[in-house]
Amino acid sequence: MRKTSTVTPRTRAGARALAGAAAVAAVLVGCTPGQGAGSGSGDASAAGRSPAPTRSSAATPPDTAPTPTPDGTLLVADFGSDTVTFVDPERGALGSVEVGTAPYGLAVGADGRAWVATAEGVAVVDTRTRERLALVPYATDTGPVATGEYRGGGMGIALSPDGGRVYVGVNVPGGNGTLEVIDTASRKVTGTVPVGRRPFDVDVARDGSEVYATDHDSFDVTVVRADTLDPRRIKVAPYGTEGGLGSWLKPHYAVVRPSDGRLLLPFEGERLAVVDPRTGRTEIVPMTADTHQHGATITPDGTLFVVGTGPIDPSEDEGPSLTVRAPDGTERVYPLEGPHEDVAVSEDGRTAYVTGGFTRDGWWDGITVVDVESGGTRRLAAGERPLGIAVL
């Protein structure tokens, strides 16, 4: 187990911003350019590649109907393909369902239906029968359907607490994105709201009154009232905005803290931005992993899980990791093998599942299963460049 306690000086932020600016010499946005399916680093991608699972896109005939999906099964969005994959956390892939090009985030309701943000629209999947029920097209013009980190289409996605609405952050290449609202009964887009650039993540207040889009390339969070759809922007840039679109030091994913409704946004394994969405005020508290951070989730008791993707500067920063941060701020930092992107936690809080898909290059086809108490890990082949993940 690795743990540090010092926040790196501001001078390091300038170096990271400049490094990020150099990384966008060939593109206009974000982190180091990712590539489309099949672009991962050689042996890591091959080693993690899962056996070809069963794929389906329509209902299975009654005489060959699959066994209903067991509780505790994992569902991952295959960003390197056009599927979601169902994964037994002990044995690996159970089967896949075609949903649409380059699925990114997903959200699962109490009714067992998954809503999957793809480049083409939001797919609706019955997780019990493992079939796609519908594909809801976006109201926003996102350009030609494409793959890779900068593709247009849905990114972050979340359900309202009552299950009546889906909120999806839609990326528009080269410009600001939108938050689209889908009525889950009619499966139609009922509203669109302007947000910032590349809405990596979407979260909803516990009472459903507000929606939060984390806008990666504009250094902010868009707060949207659920009743009126009125937006307002909160700048979240604990390192400043030096480097602009090329900076590494941007918000990626957020969680809503159960105790008070504040947003928690981790940065670089060094700083945690605690944002009050009602006042717009931000408090910065230290973190200890010293690694570039992406995916995050939080359990009902307030334990925060954050994925460290690896170093920006290998001479100074630590490698990939999973941070487990208790409500009192104490942290356990567990090293991981290779880059990862997002994380989900078992219902009992004892096991974390970290996807190896990664929005940038270096991804692999699998999940790392982490024992939360001991930090012990095992790698599980699952899906094709898995990003979003949920425990069914």
Side-chain angles (χ1 to χ4, degrees):
M1 179 175 71
R2 168 171 46 79
K3 183 175 179 180
T4 61
S5 58
T6 303
V7 177
T8 305
R10 167 65 194 232
T11 53
R12 195 159 143 204
R16 286 178 170 179
L18 292 174
V24 293
V27 294
L28 294 177
V29 288
C31 294
T32 300
Q35 301 175 17
S39 66
S41 325
D43 57 352
S45 177
R49 198 167 298 280
S50 57
T54 303
R55 292 161 60 106
S56 65
S57 58
T60 306
D63 58 342
T64 60
T67 303
T69 306
D71 290 345
T73 297
L74 310 176
L75 183 67
V76 298
D78 295 326
F79 193 58
S81 183
D82 60 355
T83 57
V84 291
T85 295
F86 293 81
V87 183
D88 182 305
E90 297 297 330
R91 299 184 292 115
L94 298 173
S96 297
V97 175
E98 294 178 12
V99 290
T101 302
Y104 185 98
L106 54 83
V108 181
D111 60 1
R113 291 184 178 177
W115 300 78
V116 187
T118 82
E120 301 175 58
V122 174
V124 188
V125 176
D126 188 323
T127 64
R128 293 166 179 158
T129 61
R130 300 201 287 277
E131 61 178 314
R132 192 183 86 174
L133 304 177
L135 182 68
V136 182
Y138 300 117
T140 304
D141 182 3
T142 61
V145 174
T147 61
E149 180 181 356
Y150 305 103
R151 63 120 174 97
M155 298 187 75
I157 190 167
L159 275 160
S160 62
D162 65 3
R165 285 178 167 186
V166 170
Y167 302 98
V168 56
V170 180
N171 179 44
V172 178
N176 287 340
T178 62
L179 181 77
E180 295 201 0
V181 185
I182 298 173
D183 178 84
T184 59
S186 67
R187 300 177 189 166
K188 295 183 182 299
V189 175
T190 59
T192 62
V193 184
V195 297
R197 286 177 173 259
R198 277 212 297 165
F200 255 58
D201 196 18
V202 173
D203 297 276
V204 181
R206 291 172 63 82
D207 64 3
S209 62
E210 292 181 329
V211 186
Y212 313 111
T214 301
D215 306 319
H216 177 274
D217 286 346
S218 48
F219 297 89
D220 56 31
V221 171
T222 302
V223 180
V224 179
R225 282 190 51 169
D227 55 355
T228 64
L229 299 186
D230 291 334
R232 55 190 171 87
R233 304 270 280 277
I234 299 174
K235 181 179 176 180
V236 186
Y239 294 89
T241 60
E242 183 181 357
L245 291 176
S247 173
W248 291 76
L249 307 173
K250 299 173 182 176
H252 289 83
Y253 295 78
V255 298
V256 178
R257 188 159 64 185
S259 61
D260 59 8
R262 283 173 167 78
L263 303 178
L264 307 182
L265 294 94
F267 286 79
E268 309 308 310
E270 297 174 342
R271 304 179 186 184
L272 182 67
V274 183
V275 180
D276 185 335
R278 286 164 178 78
T279 66
R281 294 175 181 167
T282 299
E283 176 189 7
I284 304 299
V285 297
M287 296 188 74
T288 62
D290 292 331
T291 186
H292 190 56
Q293 289 178 317
H294 276 206
T297 193
I298 197 165
T299 57
D301 69 354
T303 300
L304 175 66
F305 293 76
V306 186
V307 180
T309 69
I312 292 176
D313 183 349
S315 69
E316 295 186 11
D317 306 337
E318 299 287 354
S321 64
L322 177 68
T323 292
V324 182
R325 182 184 178 96
D328 65 3
T330 58
E331 293 185 347
R332 290 169 285 164
V333 180
Y334 299 129
L336 299 176
E337 180 186 350
H340 293 69
E341 182 68 24
D342 207 354
V343 59
V345 181
S346 62
E347 186 175 8
D348 62 12
R350 296 178 180 178
T351 309
Y353 306 101
V354 193
T355 56
F358 199 28
T359 53
R360 295 166 47 224
D361 200 15
W363 49 270
W364 58 285
D365 293 337
I367 297 167
T368 295
V369 182
V370 182
D371 182 285
V372 173
E373 181 61 32
S374 69
T377 63
R378 58 185 173 87
R379 285 161 69 98
L380 183 68
E384 297 182 51
R385 196 177 182 180
L387 288 191
I389 183 169
V391 182
L392 303 181

